[in-house]
Amino acid sequence: MTAGPGRGQPRKPGNGEACAVAPVRLRRLNRRLVEDLREDLAGLYVESRVPDTGDAYRRPGRQDFLNRLTADMGRPGFAMVIAESDGLMGCAFGFPVRGDGSWWLGFDGVLPRGVGQLTVSGRAFAFGDILIRPHPQDRELARRVQERLLTDHQASLGATLVDGADHPTLSALRSWGWLDVGELRRPLGVTTFRALVFPLAERATVTGVGLVAMPGGGGPGGR
């Protein structure tokens, strides 16, 4: 799992700079269109995070990203939403979480009750990646693509796993509204992941006792 820089702070234009930001459109892609855009998506992956010279974590390379994309495209229910302006500004993709809870295999401790409930009811969606090109409004753009992907699938909860050593991605996701719910390690795996969730505001909420589903899914698309 990777993410953009997560700065999210509008930059004040300098002398002679235009104040307006080009409108950004969201578009959902089928598998054929994703194949057509593979190289553009790989370029977005490379450009989506400004390198931090003080960060010891080595981000997986371009080919690793393409391999993961190919694997996710083979999963049932795969979907991608892209954001476009003058060029490709961002994307998010993933697949529905199976109701048997196998996606959470290796979670350390007790999974928050609401997360388990939404998983069993088929209202959780796993994000394979969220990529946002550095932009004055990248936080707002991240929110839009995340919510669009969830809404299209009538899901109440986004879920993702991030290498615990990947501090830039963890910081970006937290700034975009994701909540860290614990640690997860796959059986026989060597990577320790942080498990994060993104509750769709209209369909789920966070209370003092954890994440809970809103009645009826919290909106007209809820199940």
Side-chain angles (χ1 to χ4, degrees):
M1 173 69 196
T2 55
R7 296 169 300 165
Q9 299 300 320
R11 179 173 58 86
K12 295 182 179 180
N15 292 335
E17 284 189 277
C19 293
V21 177
V24 177
R25 306 172 301 276
L26 301 187
R27 180 161 62 105
R28 182 168 169 177
L29 303 185
N30 58 30
R31 285 181 173 84
R32 180 181 62 79
L33 292 174
V34 174
E35 286 286 358
D36 292 343
L37 282 179
R38 279 176 63 87
E39 290 307 311
D40 292 332
L41 291 166
L44 175 65
Y45 172 79
V46 171
E47 298 172 20
S48 63
R49 191 170 75 192
V50 178
D52 183 348
T53 56
D55 179 22
Y57 177 76
R58 293 192 62 183
R59 188 185 196 194
R62 178 189 182 106
Q63 189 58 50
D64 292 301
F65 165 76
L66 289 172
N67 292 342
R68 288 191 295 104
L69 175 61
T70 298
D72 281 355
M73 287 174 64
R75 296 177 182 269
F78 170 84
M80 175 182 287
V81 169
I82 63 171
E84 302 171 296
S85 180
D86 297 332
L88 187 60
M89 298 299 297
C91 80
F93 62 85
F95 48 90
V97 174
R98 292 174 55 179
D100 62 5
S102 57
W103 195 84
W104 297 104
L105 185 64
F107 187 82
D108 185 15
V110 179
L111 191 68
R113 183 180 51 141
V115 174
Q117 290 174 343
L118 291 171
T119 298
V120 171
S121 64
R123 287 184 283 165
F125 188 89
F127 281 72
D129 233 324
I130 307 165
L131 306 174
I132 304 295
R133 194 181 300 278
H135 185 269
Q137 298 177 3
D138 53 22
R139 182 179 299 176
E140 173 64 15
L141 185 55
R143 182 193 62 79
R144 288 180 60 194
V145 295
Q146 290 166 179
E147 292 187 354
R148 171 65 182 274
L149 203 50
L150 291 176
T151 299
D152 282 357
H153 280 79
Q154 297 187 351
S156 303
L157 185 75
T160 195
L161 301 178
V162 180
D163 187 330
D166 188 356
H167 299 295
T169 291
L170 289 169
S171 177
L173 290 174
R174 289 163 181 155
S175 77
W176 295 344
W178 288 76
L179 306 173
D180 192 323
V181 295
E183 190 173 277
L184 184 149
R185 177 178 289 182
R186 297 297 190 201
L188 305 181
V190 297
T191 301
T192 298
F193 296 99
R194 298 306 303 179
L196 291 90
V197 297
F198 181 80
L200 190 62
E202 296 178 351
R203 297 178 182 164
T205 189
V206 176
T207 70
V209 295
L211 183 73
V212 297
M214 297 293 284
R223 290 182 288 174

